[in-house]
Amino acid sequence: MKTKSITSILLSAILLLSALSLTACGAGGKEAEGNTSSNTDASSAADADTSSEEGAADSAVSYLPLEEGDTAPDFTAALTDNTEFTLSDQQGKVVLLNFWATWCGPCVREMPALEKLHGEYGEDVVILAVNCMESEDTVNAFLEETGYTFPVACDMEGTILAKYPSQGIPYTLVIDGEGIIRNIYVGALDAETQYLEYKGAIDAILDEA
């Protein structure tokens, strides 16, 4: 009986760890533990490393993990549609900022939620998905195959990602019209669950207006 009890406990622990591993991916492409609740305990800071003068200066900066209530770090990114996005230009709008990669299963699974939110809110809410350090060809091929229309940026050097250190991806932040981070999520479940989670956070901010 004692042996059977210990075996049951070990089996339960293995199943729990397996379930957790499905929610978020580590930056190196391996599955990592995560959850979809608001998160304020992100991992240690990373250093940015780029060839531009601005990137060289950034590489010497150690960015602290972000918490809800912090001001979202500003950045400018080139989008896949050949336009440019600057976070500080979005004042007055709610921004859903998502970090992802094509090799990350949870990232890909939740993307229909981003597309649905993009179509539902239009210009009232800005959706931006920042791809983490993959080539433009890889990202463009993925978007062509899936047909997603929400804005996507390629952060090939990891400059933006360095300003938003995280335990893993998908890493999603909901930012209000004043540039304040209201919600932080690490990991993702299915698209419908994430849609309801993000929509609730967005609507809470819009209802304050």
Side-chain angles (χ1 to χ4, degrees):
M1 294 295 291
K2 185 176 181 180
T3 301
K4 182 178 180 181
S5 178
I6 293 174
T7 301
S8 298
I9 292 173
L10 289 174
L11 180 58
S12 297
I14 292 170
L15 291 174
L16 177 59
L17 289 173
S18 298
L20 287 172
S21 71
L22 295 176
T23 66
C25 298
K30 297 179 180 179
E31 299 291 335
E33 292 182 9
N35 58 63
T36 58
S37 61
S38 288
N39 177 71
T40 57
D41 295 319
S43 65
S44 58
D47 291 333
D49 229 349
T50 69
S51 58
S52 66
E53 291 183 4
E54 180 182 354
D58 281 347
S59 66
V61 178
S62 181
Y63 294 98
L64 296 175
L66 295 167
E67 297 183 356
E68 294 170 0
D70 288 346
T71 298
D74 195 21
F75 64 88
T76 297
L79 304 184
T80 55
D81 64 359
N82 296 318
T83 61
E84 195 172 76
F85 175 99
T86 298
L87 182 61
S88 57
D89 288 346
Q90 313 307 315
Q91 286 290 320
K93 296 183 179 181
V94 178
V95 176
L96 189 147
L97 179 62
N98 173 268
F99 291 87
W100 69 285
T102 61
W103 47 258
C104 171
C107 299
V108 174
R109 283 197 297 271
E110 76 163 346
M111 282 197 160
L114 305 186
E115 182 72 9
K116 188 174 181 179
L117 291 167
H118 176 61
E120 181 174 339
Y121 288 100
E123 296 182 358
D124 293 333
V125 174
V126 178
I127 308 292
L128 178 65
V130 178
N131 178 267
C132 299
M133 304 178 70
E134 294 186 281
S135 70
E136 289 184 3
D137 288 344
T138 297
V139 175
N140 287 331
F142 174 83
L143 294 177
E144 182 176 350
E145 179 182 350
T146 58
Y148 292 134
T149 61
F150 51 80
V152 174
C154 291
D155 185 25
M156 290 182 290
E157 301 295 334
T159 307
I160 304 170
L161 182 62
K163 296 182 178 183
Y164 290 81
S166 167
Q167 292 173 326
I169 56 174
Y171 179 53
T172 305
L173 306 93
V174 179
I175 304 166
D176 68 19
E178 300 300 319
I180 304 300
I181 299 170
R182 300 291 290 272
N183 303 87
I184 299 177
Y185 305 90
V186 180
L189 297 175
D190 60 277
E192 184 60 22
T193 298
Q194 297 311 127
Y195 165 75
L196 295 173
E197 188 80 24
Y198 300 150
K199 178 177 173 58
I202 292 169
D203 287 345
I205 297 172
L206 294 178
D207 288 344
E208 295 175 0

